[in-house]
Amino acid sequence: MLAAPLAPARSVTTRRAYWTRLLPALAVLACVTRVPSFVRPVWNPDEGYLAVQARLLAHGGHLYETVVDRKPPLVPWLYEAAFAVCGSGSLAPVRVLAVLAQTLTAVLLASLARRRWGDTAGRTAGVLYLLVSVGLNPEDAQAATFEVFILPATAAALWCADRSRWGAAGTAVACAFLTKQTGGAVLLPVAWLLNRAGTPGAGALRLGAGFAVPVLCAALVTDPAGFLFWTVTGSAAYASFTGSELHVLGRGLANTALLAVACAGLIPPVVRSLRTARTARAGVADAADLWLWLASSAVAVTVGFHFFGHYYLQLTPPAALLATAALRASPRERLSAAVFTSACCCALFLAWGLLAPHPELAHAQRLAAALAQRTGPADRVLVWGMHPETYWLARRTPATRYLTAGLLTNYSGGRDGPQVGEKYAVEGAWPVFRAELTAHAPALVVDDSRGEPYAADRIPSLRRLLAGRYEEVGRVDGAVIYARTPPE
């Protein structure tokens, strides 16, 4: 009679031993794959934008009122919290949080795979994910921005749904959405698992409540009207690529090719499993939620028609799980080949991140040094360009809530076509912009457009401002610096 509890105890001991070995290994691998992220002060303009937002929020700014972007609030809040604890002079704290996010994502995927296919599959899923997670241009893969923090939330949504924890799954979907709108795409595979569970009514209520409560709380904590506008209704012009079709599609093909190289070890086993007549149908059915996850993530990459590299990070968790599913019944040498190939590709991308030159960062640093030299800490400045990190590097306060020219010209999608100019700005932006420049006249204005379609001489309102109140005082790498003329 006393022997019955031994089986559960052994199971708990085995599970504890499994994770005791796997967790440190995944954490170390996550640290190794993120080493390049610590070698640069800023990786891309999104990091710069978030850093400036966090400083403004820390000094009394209000999200969607005096601090604006077309994004939900979680990542700006995360940056603000990291700066509050560690100071705002370095992005190292948020880079550490990105390592933790990658580790958590790998652990959740390993847990999903282990529950479905066994111990080896769990190890495979976690390792493969981390190896392919850096398989893009380092400016996209190594930056601590929105997509990196989406991934643990999307993995958690599938993890909870796989265990029929529908309220928690809804909360995880909400966290993904509140990190970036496209994170909500994970709702599709979660809904499929809910339907397959056979109790869609009660489960749907819990799922809906789990999603709605955090989103409503975020809206109420910020500004409901502003939250709705900046996260949903105010991005119609941004979501069009009219006039830039070839430019945008070329970027999409290039980033697709990069991710395909990173997934060179994953693609063959998946294709092989689908081509095996005896197992293809069963394999697809067994992993239907994963295929839906991949498909919904692909739609998320496509939404907005911009195809930036960091968008593609959402594809990596379902890709790693699908490859794991395909490899679970393969000979050991095929599993080893997939991991070895992925490791070699990962090494190439890490070398790229460590060795590639960074001309735009060097330009932003030189420009920031010029701004810091010509102004005092209390002075406000206006950088007319697409590199908000200049404000952060110079430690100067922006003269306006619009941290790039993109929100004022619709250039923020990387367009090179005709839909760039004042009339394509975010609705109502120019009256606010002009009022802010009147209330907080910048000590310096920097035209950092360098011949792009949003150049100051193509923007009538900005051209009039410079002609009437400012004079050129210097140039840095093609950027023109204007100082306010003294009153007569």
Side-chain angles (χ1 to χ4, degrees), residues 71 85 92 110 145 152 231 240 274 343 348 382 391 394 457 486:
K71 299 293 192 301
V85 174
T145 53
T231 63
S240 170
L274 292 176
L348 289 175
L382 171 65
Y391 292 116
D457 59 1

Side-chain angles (χ1 to χ4, degrees), residues 147 150-151 182-183 185 293 297 300 310-318:
E147 283 75 15
I150 282 177
L151 301 179
T182 54
W293 190 6
S297 298
H310 45 89
Y311 292 8
Y312 287 72
L313 291 173
Q314 281 189 252
L315 299 171
T316 54

Side-chain angles (χ1 to χ4, degrees), residues 472-483:
E472 181 179 336
V473 294
R475 291 178 179 250
V476 177
D477 301 335
V480 185
I481 302 176
Y482 298 89

Side-chain angles (χ1 to χ4, degrees), residues 163-188:
R163 289 159 173 76
S164 298
R165 299 175 183 176
W166 304 116
T171 300
V173 175
C175 288
F177 173 81
L178 290 172
T179 302
K180 189 179 177 184
Q181 297 91 323
T182 54
V186 75
L187 183 61
L188 180 61

Side-chain angles (χ1 to χ4, degrees), residues 16 50 63 180 201 204 206 283 292 328 344 353 371 386 428-429 437 442 455 479:
R16 185 179 295 118
L50 286 162
L63 205 56
K180 189 179 177 184
R206 293 198 296 273
L292 283 173
R328 71 187 189 276
C344 290
L371 290 182
M386 298 303 297
L437 293 192

Side-chain angles (χ1 to χ4, degrees), residues 457-480:
D457 59 1
R458 303 184 186 183
I459 308 298
S461 293
L462 186 61
R463 188 171 64 241
R464 287 192 294 269
L465 168 72
L466 294 175
R469 298 162 58 187
Y470 290 83
E471 61 182 4
E472 181 179 336
V473 294
R475 291 178 179 250
V476 177
D477 301 335
V480 185

